[in-house]
Amino acid sequence: MIYLDHNATTPVDPAVAEKMAWFLREHFGNPSSIYPLGRRAKELMTEARERVAAALGVDRGEVFFTGSGTESDNFAIFGTFEASPGRDEFVTSVIEHPAVIETAKALERRGAKVTYLPVDAQGTIGLDDLRSALTLKTGLVSIMHANNEIGTIQPIAEVVRIAHERGIPVHTDAVQTFGKTDVDARKLGVDYLTVSAHKIYGPKGVGALYIRKGAAICPFLRGGRQERGLRAGTENTAGIIGFGEAVRVLEEKGRKERARIEHLAETLKVGIEKNVPGARFNGHPTNRIKSTVNFAFPGLEAEAILLALATKEIYVSTGSACSEESEEVSHVLRAIGLPPEIARSAIRMSLGRSNTEEDIAVVLRELPEIIRKLKSITAFHPEG
Ligand code: PLP
């Protein structure tokens, strides 16, 4: 099997699985209990919190565990909206993950005014567009760090500078950058930042939200005092311990592994450009998460390509995992100016730790052949 869908999710690292299994076997205590069983679970959770905090360059008291990247996005947006009455304008971009877009729509239904910043042909927002969108009533700016479909990285530090000059806080969804590039929340200057464990070889169903000390936010879930009262509910302790271990492995494998994966992705990109006539690369050529390689194959349907590749046990995606089941054309590819019929022909290949040089050689052998065959079939049916 050749797995090229690491942006959708990653295989759990063996060390993570082991640590979680050990934890589940040995430590069932409720971290809110004050006797030793509970205290031990709490200590292990604190260790995980310290690891996530160190990786993000922040204090452990600024990291709040949640149930997913999606939840962290909802928390940041609803939580700040509720915390700043009267500031009912919200600025985001057209290419955000549904976790932000759908939350923005929910704010609109509550009477908020939302501005969705456009992007250029490579998927980057314009800072002048941002400046003109901000008003005295803007309560939050939320711009993703890198896009999950095309990988383009946004100028978050500049976004922060512009917003902070006007006293407006900034949230960034760093789900796709954490582990793939340096994500230092202090250097970026953001007030809130979202990460998710299952994109970094950790378990599914655990995320975290960085909340800068002193930044205003209301609780997301109400109940007990867990997560300092901001996210009530007995914690997913095993998941959190797994998240911490995934971060430890990330630090251990470090830049060397990142460079290897980026090199493989570049070989794949160059190989497709060279060997597949008419292939159209989507995304920023340089300023992007390099492990994300998105191509359109005009004249074809992405689904046909995906299924043909799957028969060779090569797994890719046609867009974000969340939109996989919908018939809609990718809102990201539409936003960078692709006509619907071309957007419908795009596949995303996202590389990760499981990939080898041999994998890429196989894809570069199979893909051009699949495209050629599909084109020869569709050539007989110009209408469809
Ligand atoms: N934000 C981005 C940019 C993502 O790519 C994803 C997952 O695909 C999410 C948020 C949602 O994260 P989770 O799957 O942990 O809810």
Side-chain angles (χ1 to χ4, degrees), residues 56-246:
L56 296 175
V58 303
D59 296 336
R60 73 167 194 229
E62 296 173 307
V63 172
F64 295 77
F65 288 116
T66 65
S68 60
T70 299
E71 186 186 311
S72 297
D73 285 344
N74 275 258
F75 184 1
I77 296 166
F78 282 130
T80 49
F81 186 70
E82 201 183 328
S84 46
R87 292 179 75 165
D88 58 357
E89 293 185 11
F90 174 62
V91 176
T92 186
S93 84
V94 285
I95 60 160
E96 297 297 314
H97 188 272
V100 169
I101 300 256
E102 294 302 319
T103 309
K105 286 188 195 161
L107 285 190
E108 284 186 282
R109 289 191 291 274
R110 292 179 187 189
K113 174 176 174 265
V114 179
T115 306
Y116 300 88
L117 301 177
V119 292
D120 63 19
Q122 296 171 334
T124 315
I125 60 158
L127 296 177
D128 282 336
D129 291 328
L130 171 68
R131 281 186 196 95
S132 20
L134 301 178
T135 77
L136 289 172
K137 293 182 76 185
T138 309
L140 181 71
V141 172
S142 179
I143 303 289
M144 72 199 317
H145 196 193
N147 182 265
N148 44 303
E149 292 188 42
I150 54 173
T152 301
I153 298 175
Q154 301 298 336
I156 298 300
E158 278 97 328
V159 168
V160 169
R161 195 172 44 73
I162 292 164
H164 281 187
E165 270 169 16
R166 293 156 177 81
I168 301 164
V170 176
H171 164 250
T172 193
D173 175 335
V175 167
Q176 291 295 346
T177 42
F178 190 42
K180 302 189 187 112
T181 181
D182 290 334
V183 178
D184 185 315
R186 291 241 199 283
K187 272 196 202 143
L188 289 171
V190 291
D191 304 276
Y192 314 92
L193 181 142
T194 292
V195 290
S196 175
H198 76 101
K199 311 285 182 173
I200 63 155
Y201 309 87
K204 291 164 183 58
V206 198
L209 181 67
Y210 155 71
I211 303 174
R212 184 184 51 74
K213 189 165 186 285
I217 196 152
C218 281
F220 185 64
L221 293 178
R222 289 164 175 87
R225 294 292 308 155
Q226 294 92 348
E227 299 302 300
R228 281 140 287 162
L230 290 183
R231 201 274 186 182
T234 302
E235 302 86 342
N236 173 6
T237 42
I240 290 169
I241 272 64
F243 193 0
E245 183 65 6

Side-chain angles (χ1 to χ4, degrees), residues 263-335:
H263 173 74
L264 291 181
E266 186 60 18
T267 308
L268 179 65
K269 174 176 179 283
V270 171
I272 293 173
E273 277 165 343
K274 209 168 114 206
N275 299 316
V276 185
R280 193 205 134 114
F281 174 75
N282 300 310
H284 200 288
T286 53
N287 194 23
R288 78 171 200 289
I289 294 297
K290 301 280 192 328
S291 54
T292 304
V293 178
N294 189 311
F295 272 98
F297 301 94
L300 299 180
E301 286 288 335
E303 200 161 294
I305 305 170
L306 182 148
L307 294 175
L309 284 168
T311 64
K312 310 276 180 189
E313 292 194 69
I314 300 170
Y315 301 117
V316 303
S317 145
T318 57
S320 76
C322 321
S323 63
E324 202 88 311
E325 281 169 16
S326 78
E327 291 290 301
E328 281 167 39
V329 180
S330 152
H331 68 292
V332 176
L333 298 178
R334 293 291 287 128

